[in-house]
């Protein structure tokens, strides 16, 4: 591992240079005064494509490093008319004549803006999957979209990992969700692609973001219409897999110079099938299990809000969003008990497990924003949200002789498990120009209260009786207080510095209560535990951008993953007659130190090399009870070292577009839980490859061909997995004068998205395989109506503000 780290450090020290020439100039207003923070774009003369963006300094000057060729520049500033230079040729240093801007007329005609984002955008700090305009995203839920995202891996239990690391923090609209494991997976399954604008994979978050998530942050951005006037859209979808599925939605928006009112509603109804087989060798018995899991989903998603523009600098707003879901699960299939010395079936368990669930989530937000273009910015957010999860599970277990007809015995359970989660937060972020750079400071107070009341009943023909020994109530409260400071500055010598520090103080308390039996007496127990700790999380990056056609970034960050509340509850939950799940009160947070090098060549070829050292990594460990029974629990593996490489490249030529990205990672897991079969020492190399081909036929037809390949890997530190992947195809036709779209797509054309794996730990050898309902045919219709124009000075200011931010990013692509 030392050799790997040394090789990694040597790559950081690489220098790169190429022949380029300086293009410089100055921008002044109509009175001859130099203009600061003005956006200057270097354009190719032949097609006006953007080569480089820059901002003028305090004395109005700007400069680019450019290769030889013919160019022109455009200059824009809020409240002024955009100006263009004459075409010039770069063969040596070029000093342009002063460019003067004149104030814009107050009466602006409406401008219709039409643009299409690429499916995937790769930047120094994040990868953006633009879901909204993608044909093959039609009819998918959020979990499936993540499964097909570059570098993302989802295992058989729907745990999410990124670039070989399992600590991923999921955000929705910039806010972290408190869910994890099965709860998070079911929530993402209830969120449809029609609700989603984009998915941001942020691998190098700055101090502004919460420190949770050692692999980074995945932010799911929901749609919000920004057009002026009254407008909206409708969409209808049909999906055919093993079972039919339906979805539809409506979005409405009204916006003028003072107010923006928006709202949308989406509905999804469908049924999915997953097939699963598993074999487990434990002591002298082979457990051979085969299950079919049917998941029925009925979901209502909504979002509504109001923005009021107090003046050109201040905005207040309120947003209410939610997801109301009814999820029904049915798991059916036999388990054969085989006595291994004779290879004979000793008995058969037949169980049909049903779970009727409701999962409701509502979030509210009040916000205030004060912003001066190119100057001070203040954002204040107050949030309250809740989850209400109800589970009614019926689990009958019938044991038969090897003939499968003669019943030996039966045990039947009914589990009721209501969970309430309440979230409160207050956050403020402030930014201003400081000593030639940008200073940001802020803080957050976050509170999460969780209450789970698990009751298990034994069911008899005469009724059901509460089993107090197998029932439990678990309350978990967590309070995180944070402060941060972040600073970035473009230096005159052709590089940009960014560094930040975040401090987080954590208070948590868990209380697990119930009954236990001591000498034939039932007594109450209270397993209460508390945690209090404070951590510092530094982050820094340096971007070398003297040559804009070949930019390098070196970055570092420290992050944390705290245990989920379910993983801390010491109560033993019975998953079935022979498998239990138990929490671990000794589970510690896992910490990650990451170092990265990013190169962006000619704004297209992006290469990212990252090394991470994870301390006390979480892993789900199988263990044994009473020789033949097993339980699952999470423990801290000693360490994990990961080296990850990402290479991506987009290509566009007339009617054909291509994007490819490859993620490779090497991981070394080390742990010792008592020697022998309880040791873990794994060396793992894995990679994923994603490609997207786009074909345009005329003005109204578009086709897509995309593919994903995942090599063998390791889940949870102990489960070795096999190869899987998929090919998707799609076709789109624009109709109704460009306002309507019809999309037809087919996913997993060759039925290759199937997972398999094996594990050998603590004397238990297991193998398993399975697949979901991946092959589907999807048909979708969408229609936009009303105004699609951008009018007036505020709209133009918003567009120029976006352009200014792009210029800042291009000068130094820092991790945010």
């Amino acid at each position: 591992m030392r050799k790997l780290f040394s090789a990694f450090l040597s790559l950081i020290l690489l220098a790169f240079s190429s022949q380029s020439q300086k293009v410089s100039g100055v921008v002044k207003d109509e009175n001859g005064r130099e203009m600061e923070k003005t956006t200057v774009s270097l354009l190719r003369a032949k097609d006006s494509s953007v080569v480089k963006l820059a901002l003028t300094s305090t004395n109005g000057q700007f400069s680019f490093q450019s290769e030889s060729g013919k160019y022109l520049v455009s200059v824009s500033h809020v409240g002024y008319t955009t100006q263009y230079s004459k075409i010039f040729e770069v063969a040596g240093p070029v000093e342009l004549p002063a460019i003067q801007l004149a104030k814009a007329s107050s009466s602006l005609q409406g401008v219709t803006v039409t643009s299409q984002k690429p499916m995937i955008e790769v930047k120094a700090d994040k990868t953006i999957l633009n879901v909204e305009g993608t044909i093959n995203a039609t009819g998918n839920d959020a979990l499936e979209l993540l499964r097909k995202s570059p570098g993302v891996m989802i295992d058989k239990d729907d745990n999410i990992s990124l670039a070989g690391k399992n600590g991923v923090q999921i955000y929705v609209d910039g806010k972290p969700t408190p869910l994890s494991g099965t709860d998070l997976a079911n929530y993402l399954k209830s969120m449809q692609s029609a609700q989603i604008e984009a998915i941001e994979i942020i691998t190098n978050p700055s101090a502004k973001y919460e420190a949770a998530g050692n692999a980074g942050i995945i932010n799911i951005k929901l749609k919000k219409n920004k057009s002026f006037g009254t407008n909206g859209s409708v969409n209808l979808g049909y999906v055919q897999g093993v079972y039919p599925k339906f979805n539809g939605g409506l979005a409405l928006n009204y916006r003028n110079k003072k107010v923006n009112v928006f709202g949308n509603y989406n509905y999804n109804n469908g049924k999915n099938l997953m097939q699963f087989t598993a074999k487990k060798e434990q002591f002298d018995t082979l457990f051979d299990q085969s299950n079919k899991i049917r998941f029925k989903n009925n979901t209502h998603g909504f979002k509504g809000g109001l923005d009021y523009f107090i003046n050109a600098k201040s905005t207040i707003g309120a947003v209410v969003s939610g997801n109301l879901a009814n999820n029904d699960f049915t798991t059916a299939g036999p388990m054969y008990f085989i006595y291994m010395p004779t290879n004979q079936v000793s008995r058969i368990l037949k169980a049909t497990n049903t779970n009727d669930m409701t999962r409701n989530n509502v979030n509210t937000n009040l916000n205030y924003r004060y912003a001066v273009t190119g100057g001070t910015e203040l954002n204040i957010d107050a949030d309250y949200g809740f989850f209400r999860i109800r589970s009614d599970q019926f689990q009958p277990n019938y044991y038969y002789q090897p003939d499968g007809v003669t019943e030996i015995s039966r045990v039947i359970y009914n589990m009721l498990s209501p969970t309430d989660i309440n979230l409160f937060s207050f956050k403020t972020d402030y930014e201003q120009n400081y000593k030639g750079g940008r200073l940001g400071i802020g803080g957050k107070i976050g509170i999460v209260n969780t209450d789970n009341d698990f009751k298990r009943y034994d069911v008899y023909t005469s009724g059901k009786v509460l089993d107090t020994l197998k029932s439990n109530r678990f309350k978990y409260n967590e309070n995180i207080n944070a402060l941060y400071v972040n600073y970035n500055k473009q230096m005159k010598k052709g590089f940009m510095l960014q560094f930040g520090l975040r401090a987080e103080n954590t208070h948590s308390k868990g209380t697990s209560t119930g009954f236990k039996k001591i000498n034939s007496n039932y007594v109450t127990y209270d397993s209460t535990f508390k945690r209090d700790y404070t951590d510092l999380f530094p982050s820094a990056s340096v971007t070398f951008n003297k040559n804009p056609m070949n930019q390098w970034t070196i970055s570092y960050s420290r992050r944390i993953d705290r245990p989920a509340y379910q993983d801390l509850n010491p109560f033993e939950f019975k998953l079935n007659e022979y498998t239990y799940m138990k929490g671990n009160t000794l589970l510690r947070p896992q910490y990650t130190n990451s170092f990265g090098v990013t190169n962006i060549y000619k704004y297209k070829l992006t290469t990212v090399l990252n090394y991470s050292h994870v301390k006390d990594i979480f892993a789900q460990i199988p263990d044994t009870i009473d020789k033949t029974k097993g339980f699952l629990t999470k423990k801290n593996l000693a360490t994990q070292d990961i080296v990850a490489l990402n290479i991506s490249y987009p290509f566009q030529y007339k009617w054909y577009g291509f994007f490819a990205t490859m993620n490779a990672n090497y991981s070394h897991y080390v742990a010792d839980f008592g020697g022998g079969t309880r040791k873990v020492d794994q060396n793992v190399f894995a990679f994923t490859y994603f490609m997207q081909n786009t074909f345009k036929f005329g003005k109204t037809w578009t086709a897509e061909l995309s593919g994903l390949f995942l090599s063998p890997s390791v889940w949870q530190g102990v489960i070795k997995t096999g190869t899987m992947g998929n090919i998707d195809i799609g076709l789109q036709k624009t109709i109704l004068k460009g306002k309507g779209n019809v999309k037809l797509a087919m996913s997993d054309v060759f039925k290759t998205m199937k997972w398999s794996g094996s594990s050998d730990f603590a004397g238990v050898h297991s193998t398993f395989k399975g697949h979901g309902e991946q092959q589907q045919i999807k048909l979708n219709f969408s229609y936009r109506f009303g105004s699609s124009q951008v009018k007036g000075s505020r709209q133009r200011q918003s567009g120029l503000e976006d352009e200014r931010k792009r210029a800042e990013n291009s000068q130094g692509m820092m991790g945010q």
Side-chain angles (χ1 to χ4, degrees):
M1 203 64 229
R2 290 180 179 176
K3 292 182 178 179
L4 273 171
F5 187 59
S6 298
F8 176 81
L9 288 177
S10 66
L11 284 172
I12 293 179
L13 300 175
L14 285 175
F16 188 96
S17 62
S18 65
Q19 296 297 321
S20 61
Q21 302 296 335
K22 183 177 182 180
V23 177
S24 59
V26 64
V27 179
K28 299 180 179 181
D29 64 14
E30 53 196 358
N31 297 317
R33 293 189 295 264
E34 290 85 1
M35 297 184 64
E36 180 186 5
K37 294 291 183 181
T38 300
T39 302
V40 184
S41 306
L42 181 66
L43 313 175
R44 293 190 189 279
K46 64 179 181 179
D47 56 8
S48 297
S49 60
V50 177
V51 177
K52 175 66 176 171
L53 296 171
L55 292 174
T56 57
S57 61
T58 53
N59 57 4
Q61 293 184 347
F62 65 89
S63 65
F64 302 100
Q65 292 292 331
S66 174
E67 295 180 340
S68 299
K70 292 185 177 181
Y71 302 92
L72 72 158
V73 299
S74 71
V75 182
S76 57
H77 194 95
V78 175
Y80 291 82
T81 303
T82 299
Q83 296 292 332
Y84 294 86
S85 73
K86 293 181 180 180
I87 294 175
F88 56 89
E89 185 169 0
V90 175
V94 177
E95 179 73 28
L96 297 175
I99 301 174
Q100 280 195 316
L101 297 186
K103 290 213 175 221
S105 170
S106 58
S107 59
L108 293 173
Q109 298 297 317
V111 178
T112 300
V113 178
T114 58
S115 63
Q116 183 171 355
K117 296 179 181 178
M119 178 185 178
I120 295 179
E121 296 177 82
V122 179
K123 300 183 179 181
D125 63 322
K126 62 185 173 184
T127 299
I128 303 172
L129 177 65
N130 291 306
V131 176
E132 192 170 11
T134 304
I135 303 170
N136 287 339
T138 300
N140 283 318
D141 58 47
L143 191 67
E144 283 304 308
L145 290 174
L146 290 179
R147 193 187 302 274
K148 298 175 181 179
S149 299
V152 178
M153 172 77 78
I154 299 177
D155 69 13
K156 68 180 181 65
D157 298 317
D158 292 333
N159 296 303
I160 302 170
S161 62
L162 178 62
K165 292 180 282 187
N166 63 359
V168 182
Q169 183 69 45
I170 303 296
Y171 282 50
V172 177
D173 276 343
K175 297 176 177 60
T177 171
L179 302 178
S180 63
T182 302
D183 288 334
L184 175 61
N186 291 333
Y187 174 60
L188 294 175
K189 287 176 183 177
S190 69
M191 190 179 296
Q192 296 302 300
S193 61
Q195 300 171 252
I196 300 170
E197 176 184 332
I199 295 174
E200 297 178 332
I201 302 172
I202 307 171
T203 53
N204 184 34
S206 73
K208 184 177 180 179
Y209 288 94
E210 294 185 24
N214 90 80
I217 292 168
I218 296 178
N219 181 36
I220 300 173
K221 293 178 64 177
L222 303 182
K223 291 180 180 178
K224 179 179 176 181
N225 195 322
K226 299 176 183 178
S227 299
F228 274 66
T230 302
N231 52 76
S233 64
V234 293
N235 70 84
L236 296 170
Y238 174 80
V239 178
Q240 181 63 56
V242 177
Y243 302 106
K245 305 157 186 59
F246 309 90
N247 58 78
L250 170 68
L252 294 172
N253 185 79
Y254 173 76
R255 182 176 180 133
N256 60 27
K257 293 182 179 180
K258 295 297 293 182
V259 68
N260 179 39
V261 183
F262 56 92
N264 61 60
Y265 167 78
N266 290 274
Y267 174 73
N268 178 65
N269 184 290
K271 189 176 181 181
N272 289 274
L273 175 69
M274 187 177 81
Q275 299 186 59
F276 173 84
T277 60
K279 293 182 179 181
K280 180 176 70 172
E281 296 178 9
Q282 188 170 332
F283 193 51
D284 59 1
T285 303
L286 170 65
F287 301 85
D288 190 348
Q289 183 178 8
S290 179
N291 282 333
K292 288 187 176 180
I293 303 171
R294 292 174 175 85
F295 171 71
K296 187 176 181 181
N297 183 30
N298 187 46
T299 305
H300 305 268
F302 61 89
K303 183 177 183 178
L306 169 70
D307 295 321
Y308 178 72
F309 307 107
I310 301 172
N311 51 46
K313 299 178 182 178
S314 299
T315 306
I316 58 172
V319 181
V320 178
S321 61
N323 206 272
L324 312 177
N326 291 318
N327 306 133
D328 296 333
F329 295 85
T330 302
T331 303
M335 176 187 287
Y336 296 90
F337 300 80
I338 301 173
Y339 183 59
M340 289 193 295
T342 62
N343 200 32
Q344 296 294 314
V345 175
S346 59
R347 54 180 171 161
I348 301 172
L349 168 63
K350 295 182 180 180
T352 300
N353 190 328
T354 60
N355 193 351
D356 183 12
M357 299 183 68
T358 60
R359 186 178 303 274
N360 298 330
N361 165 233
V362 175
N363 299 296
T364 58
N365 167 263
L366 296 175
N367 59 81
Y368 170 78
R369 182 173 188 262
Y370 174 87
V372 178
T373 302
T376 301
E377 182 174 327
L378 172 66
N379 289 279
I380 300 174
D381 287 90
D383 292 271
Y384 168 69
F386 65 80
F387 288 82
R388 298 291 181 263
I389 304 171
R390 300 294 180 265
S391 173
D392 185 350
Q393 185 176 359
F394 184 71
Q395 189 183 92
N397 301 276
Y398 299 93
Y399 292 89
Y400 292 86
Q401 295 284 6
D403 60 12
V405 177
T406 307
E407 183 179 329
I408 302 173
S409 62
R410 67 175 63 181
V411 285
I412 302 174
Y413 307 114
N414 178 211
M415 282 83 78
L416 302 179
S417 181
T419 301
D420 292 346
I421 304 175
N422 293 290
L423 305 97
F424 309 85
S425 70
F426 181 82
K427 180 170 73 84
T428 180
D429 301 293
Y430 175 79
E431 290 186 8
Q432 71 168 47
N433 298 325
Y434 180 72
K435 292 189 176 181
R438 192 76 173 164
L439 174 67
I441 58 174
K444 180 178 180 180
I445 299 172
I447 299 173
V448 180
N449 296 328
T450 302
D451 186 355
N452 174 257
D453 190 6
F454 178 84
K455 290 184 172 67
R456 198 188 88 172
Y457 294 85
D458 295 321
V459 180
Y460 306 99
T461 54
S462 58
K464 62 181 183 179
V465 177
L466 178 66
D467 186 343
T468 55
L469 295 179
K470 301 299 181 182
S471 300
N472 169 264
R473 186 164 189 175
F474 184 62
K475 294 183 178 181
Y476 185 72
N477 303 317
E478 186 175 73
N479 168 221
I480 301 175
N481 305 300
L483 294 172
Y484 77 87
V485 59
N486 200 64
Y487 183 74
N488 64 75
K489 181 177 181 179
Q490 176 65 43
M491 311 301 288
K492 293 182 179 180
K493 294 184 178 181
F495 65 94
M496 175 178 269
L497 292 175
Q498 180 267 330
F499 51 88
L501 181 65
R502 186 178 185 93
E504 291 190 349
N505 173 247
T506 304
H507 303 273
S508 61
K509 178 182 178 181
T511 304
S512 181
T513 57
F515 289 88
K516 60 183 178 181
K517 193 174 182 180
I518 301 178
N519 298 326
S520 301
N521 296 317
Y522 292 90
V523 297
T524 60
Y525 68 86
D526 183 347
S527 300
T528 299
F529 59 91
K530 294 182 180 181
R531 300 270 182 85
D532 293 286
Y533 51 94
T534 301
D535 290 297
L536 297 177
F537 301 96
S539 62
S541 62
V542 182
T543 297
F544 300 94
N545 53 12
K546 186 175 182 179
N547 179 6
M549 305 301 288
N550 189 38
Q551 300 190 60
W552 291 85
T553 299
I554 301 172
S555 61
Y556 164 77
S557 64
R558 182 175 189 256
R559 302 190 64 75
I560 186 176
D561 282 294
R562 300 173 180 87
Y565 75 92
Q566 305 100 315
D567 297 331
L568 295 169
N569 187 0
F571 181 70
E572 291 183 2
F573 292 92
K574 178 181 283 191
L575 301 180
N576 56 49
E577 276 292 276
Y578 285 84
T579 307
Y580 296 76
M581 182 171 286
K582 181 180 180 180
N584 178 8
T585 58
L586 300 178
L587 195 63
R588 302 181 300 275
Q590 64 181 26
Y591 295 89
T592 301
N593 287 280
S594 293
F595 305 84
V597 178
T598 300
N599 174 251
I600 300 179
Y601 182 66
K602 291 189 175 181
Y603 297 101
K604 289 187 176 181
L605 179 62
T606 303
T607 306
V608 182
L609 181 64
N610 185 273
Y611 167 76
S612 299
H613 176 77
V614 187
K615 180 183 177 183
D616 292 332
I617 183 176
F618 302 147
Q620 186 166 281
I621 304 296
D623 216 326
T624 57
I625 302 176
D626 300 331
K627 294 185 179 181
T628 60
K629 297 181 180 181
F631 71 89
L632 302 173
T633 189
K634 281 194 175 180
K635 295 184 179 181
N636 295 103
L637 285 178
T639 61
Q640 181 188 22
D641 291 284
I642 304 169
V643 177
L645 174 69
N646 171 266
I647 301 174
S648 60
Y649 184 78
F651 174 79
Q652 184 71 47
Y653 180 75
K654 295 183 179 179
W655 53 269
Y656 174 68
F658 173 80
F659 177 85
T661 180
M662 188 273 293
N663 293 272
N665 64 80
Y666 166 81
S667 300
H668 185 205
Y669 300 86
V670 179
D672 189 346
F673 296 113
T677 60
R678 294 175 179 269
K679 276 188 175 182
V680 177
D681 191 343
Q682 297 253 32
N683 291 282
V684 183
F685 174 77
F687 70 93
T688 64
Y689 175 77
F690 175 83
M691 64 86 182
Q692 171 82 17
N693 299 272
T694 304
F695 310 87
K696 292 187 179 293
F697 307 108
K699 296 182 178 180
T700 60
W701 287 94
T702 305
E704 286 182 0
L705 171 66
S706 59
L708 175 69
F709 174 81
L710 296 92
S711 76
S713 182
V714 169
W715 293 336
Q716 302 286 322
V718 294
I719 302 174
K720 297 180 180 180
T721 71
T723 299
M724 60 180 174
N726 67 277
I727 296 291
D728 298 344
I729 57 175
L731 185 67
Q732 175 180 280
K733 168 69 173 175
T734 301
I735 59 176
L736 303 175
K737 298 181 179 180
K739 293 190 173 184
N741 281 302
V742 177
K743 299 177 182 178
L744 178 65
M746 183 177 186
S747 60
D748 198 12
V749 175
F750 301 107
K751 292 186 176 181
T752 51
M753 198 66 174
K754 300 178 180 180
W755 44 263
S756 61
S758 63
S759 69
D760 197 347
F761 183 82
V764 180
H765 177 70
S766 303
T767 60
F768 50 82
K769 61 182 179 179
H771 61 89
E773 193 178 322
Q774 303 298 329
Q775 188 181 80
Q776 298 177 345
I777 296 175
K778 311 164 195 176
L779 180 65
N780 179 268
F781 167 76
S782 61
Y783 177 74
R784 302 186 309 275
F785 57 86
S787 171
S788 61
Q789 292 184 329
V790 180
K791 304 177 181 179
S793 60
R794 183 181 298 277
Q795 295 88 331
R796 196 162 62 88
Q797 177 177 332
S798 177
L800 293 177
E801 176 68 11
D802 290 341
E803 188 174 349
R804 182 188 68 81
K805 288 181 179 179
R806 288 196 297 271
E808 289 178 335
N809 289 334
S810 72
Q811 286 184 336
M813 298 188 182
M814 296 291 124
Q816 170 136 302

